[in-house]
Amino acid sequence: MSAGVLFDAPGPATVARHRTYSIVAGIALVAGVAFVLWRLYATGQLEYDKWEPFLTPRYIEAILVDGLMVTLQMAFSAVILAVVFGVLFGVGKLSDHAWVRWPCWLVVEFFRAVPVIMLMIFCFYTVFGDFDPLSRRTYWSVVLALTLYNGAVLAEVFRAGINAVPRGQAEAAYAIGMRKTQVMTIVLLPQAVKIMIPAIISQMVVALKDTSLGYAVAGLGLTRIAKPIYQQFANHVPTIIVITAIYVIVNLLLTAIAMWLQRRLVGEKKVLEVGMVGEQVPGRP
Amino acid sequence: MPARFGNPPERSGVSAVLDNLDLYFKAFGYTVFLFLVSAVLALVLGTVLAAMRVGPVSVLRTFGTAYVTLVRNTPLVMIFLFFQLGAPKIFDTLRFTWVDIHIGPYDFTSFFSAAVAALSLYTAAFICEAIRAGVNAVPLGQAEAARAIGLPFGGVMSQVVLPQAFRASVPPLASTLIALLKNTSIAGVFGVIEAVGRMKGFTNDYADERVGIFVAFALGYVVLVEIVSLLSTLLERRWKVA
């Protein structure tokens, strides 16, 4: 490793010492993994019976169709609606009129500060209280709650993205006589979207993980599909491992896509970062 | 402290909360306890992970990276499920039956401990990333200049690099802690009667006041989030270099 902030390039004695540390740490890690595996074996978690459903086509199909597909569907719907919400409120927060700016700021800050699970419970009992059947009611509660939360986060992303477009762009547009709406829709938004696409996809990872919060209401998708499986086979540990692995793989794929788009669209720059809730951001009303 | 109004003739939109203010505050008390205990554990764990990830030992670096990648992509609900249904079957210790602490009206038992375990293991990954971002924010020239004037390793760390890294990691740390505060709400579904658990109870018991109940509990969270955010802004301002 070349010289970094933390330490200089190591000399031969240090390299040897680090090798010793590596070996000791490696042995400790292997021992830890071995211990966990032994406990898994000793408590019978590695028996074939407990893993059988994940090798049976009928269950694989259920996991992929009723689980993964529904989860993805919820995440996609939520993100698409959140983008709409985010554009409206993000642009609203940049408005010249205080009576537009303030309510937008309030809505965005509120939904960023409130736990998603709470929004979900509220939507489930109040907003969609009389929806039938239960799966549709859960679906829309999850989607609406995620839309509100992710939309509020994306509103911040959009605002930051629009502010990240070089100022000269807007000035030039005004100079050639464009109106305010034209400057926003023709000049600023198209450029901002390019900067924001990776951030939107990263937000999809968040939304996908948060669909599992539907567990708090009736539950739907991957987290829900786990329940009948571990109830039937009493294989809680394998089920949790398999379902978690699916989430992780899908999220890693999404992250890879985000990074690829990042390179294609914005070059090597970092993903747009958004301040936390209630932070004093320059330009905030 | 709690104001009990008996049975008011007119039920306002939030009378469910006003009648049970003691329960309301107790629920947020659990939220705060969950937050504080998990925050301390996550900060310790996250710092250790960050040290592994920026340190010179390659095995530990790989382990740190693997842990962060795995945990960051796992839904918190699955970690909670694991500590409720999975872990007790593998390790007897993780049943947390040995935790039985009572402070005033608060009981900290196995449900609370499982929630703390899930929250701190999850948040540690994000804390690690926040601290690492702080370390990466220190310009290389700073460390090189410190080495050039002859400071030993300890001096470079304690006088030059870490103070700057710590300052730079305050905003991401605060974001992470705010996320943790909101994530404590998941414990409400896993047996801890904190704010969301209590809200769910109220929502079932007082069906005609659901909007008022939601607003009351949402305000509680907004206040807590604003407190954390204010503290971090104060710290940031205090440690800012002119």
Side-chain angles (χ1 to χ4, degrees), chain A residues 235-248:
Chain A
N235 58 348
H236 301 81
V237 179
T239 309
I240 291 172
I241 292 175
V242 169
I243 300 288
T244 304
I246 297 177
Y247 273 113
V248 172

Side-chain angles (χ1 to χ4, degrees), chain A residues 67-78 204 208 211 250 254:
Chain A
L68 186 59
M69 279 312 288
V70 176
T71 292
L72 285 176
Q73 221 177 329
M74 286 193 288
F76 274 112
S77 325
M204 256 206 75
L208 193 93
T211 53
V250 172
L254 276 177

Side-chain angles (χ1 to χ4, degrees), chain A residues 160-201:
Chain A
I162 290 169
N163 281 341
V165 176
R167 256 228 321 253
Q169 295 283 330
E171 283 165 4
Y174 281 122
I176 59 169
M178 283 190 178
R179 305 182 64 95
K180 216 158 56 183
T181 322
Q182 286 177 307
V183 174
M184 185 58 79
T185 54
I186 300 176
V187 179
L188 293 181
L189 269 181
Q191 300 188 61
V193 164
K194 210 177 84 171
I195 306 176
M196 288 170 320
I197 283 179
I200 293 173
I201 295 183

